Amino acid sequence: MTFSSDAILAYVERHTTPSSVELEELERETVRTLEDPGMLSGPVVGRLLEFLVYALEARSVLEIGTFSGYAALTMAGGLPPDGRIVTLELDEAHAELARRSIATSPHADRIEVVLGPALESLEHLPGPFDFVFIDADKQRYLDYYEAVLPKLSERGLIAVDNTLWSGRVADETDKEASTEVMRAFNDRVRSDPRVRCVILSVRDGVTLIRRA
Ligand SMILES: C[S@@+](CC[C@H](N)C(=O)[O-])C[C@H]1O[C@@H](n2cnc3c(N)ncnc32)[C@H](O)[C@@H]1O
């Protein structure tokens, strides 16, 4: 028996606890006002991130790639009372919408949006981070990985989005530069003796990484 991946995605979404009305409104505003709204991680990845933050009791969370703030706001729902999120964003319009959404949320005092190139911002963030979500420009994924790994707390976790790249990483005939970049990332992490990893085939692929 075969299923279309769209049908499975829709089923998974229908059987996952839905987002809050505020997050649904943020998703609609993102679609209305920002280019490339498909960058928003959405309700299933968002719920997964919230679960991970909750299960880890993560007090210090870092996100690389804020966009409209959807994932940051979702993760905030899993934080313990003294938990905080720092989220890094290059684009002013994205950061502006994220800051506005965060300001009117119950998590305003727990999420900080830092504007600028993430690798530069990271130089000023010593960590340790209990949970890191990497979801910015794919060609820098390896740089982000190398920058955050030493700043991970002892039982910390890194989650990396889009690592299946619409399934293209598994298509050997696909030689597109963006596909090769994601393949190189997946290969490097898999062969890195410092870590253990698993790719979850959730939406576009989410890789979880921890210290070996
Ligand atoms: C896929 S979106 C993030 C989606 C967000 N994590 C969510 O789930 O709602 C990627 C974001 O990374 C930002 N970005 C791209 N290059 C960046 C860089 N060098 N430094 C910081 N942010 C960057 C983009 O402007 C975009 O907003």
Side-chain angles (χ1 to χ4, degrees):
M1 195 182 295
T2 56
F3 296 97
S4 86
S5 57
D6 283 351
I8 291 173
L9 283 174
Y11 184 88
V12 168
E13 194 167 321
R14 282 199 308 277
H15 292 82
T16 295
T17 306
S19 301
S20 64
V21 284
E22 291 81 8
L23 280 169
E24 284 177 358
E25 175 47 33
L26 174 58
E27 193 167 355
R28 281 193 291 274
E29 184 170 0
T30 305
V31 171
R32 268 199 318 272
T33 63
L34 296 185
E35 282 174 26
D36 209 354
M39 290 201 294
L40 187 145
S41 52
V44 176
V45 171
R47 190 61 71 193
L48 171 67
L49 297 173
E50 182 224 36
F51 263 66
L52 292 170
V53 167
Y54 179 81
L56 287 166
E57 299 182 45
R59 292 171 56 243
S60 173
V61 174
L62 172 72
E63 179 182 40
I64 303 178
T66 313
F67 197 36
S68 57
Y70 184 95
L73 282 163
T74 314
M75 288 191 284
L79 286 174
D82 58 347
R84 272 181 64 79
I85 297 175
V86 176
T87 178
L88 313 180
E89 177 54 55
L90 180 66
D91 184 289
E92 279 189 38
H94 298 178
E96 198 275 324
L97 174 53
R99 283 181 173 140
R100 197 154 36 81
S101 313
I102 291 162
T104 56
S105 80
H107 310 294
D109 56 344
R110 310 209 285 165
I111 306 175
E112 181 188 1
V113 180
V114 176
L115 184 64
L119 279 175
E120 287 178 26
S121 303
L122 270 169
E123 286 172 20
H124 308 288
L125 296 170
F129 301 110
D130 302 319
F131 186 70
V132 178
F133 181 43
I134 298 179
D135 190 23
D137 44 338
K138 313 307 169 198
Q139 70 276 16
R140 290 200 179 84
Y141 265 22
L142 275 171
D143 296 327
Y144 297 140
Y145 169 68
E146 290 296 343
V148 298
L149 190 57
K151 298 180 182 184
L152 207 55
S153 63
E154 203 181 318
R155 295 185 62 84
L157 206 64
I158 303 172
V160 188
D161 203 13
N162 307 110
T163 50
L164 290 179
W165 207 234
S166 306
R168 295 169 62 178
V169 286
D171 175 1
E172 286 174 11
T173 65
D174 189 331
K175 304 290 182 200
E176 280 262 331
S178 62
T179 307
E180 298 284 18
V181 160
M182 199 55 82
R183 266 191 208 119
F185 176 80
N186 291 337
D187 290 348
R188 172 89 83 87
V189 172
R190 168 62 183 83
S191 60
D192 187 340
R194 298 172 296 174
V195 301
R196 292 187 179 187
C197 64
V198 57
I199 299 182
L200 307 180
S201 53
V202 175
R203 195 173 172 254
D204 196 26
V206 177
T207 297
L208 301 183
I209 304 166
R210 70 164 173 89
R211 291 181 199 282

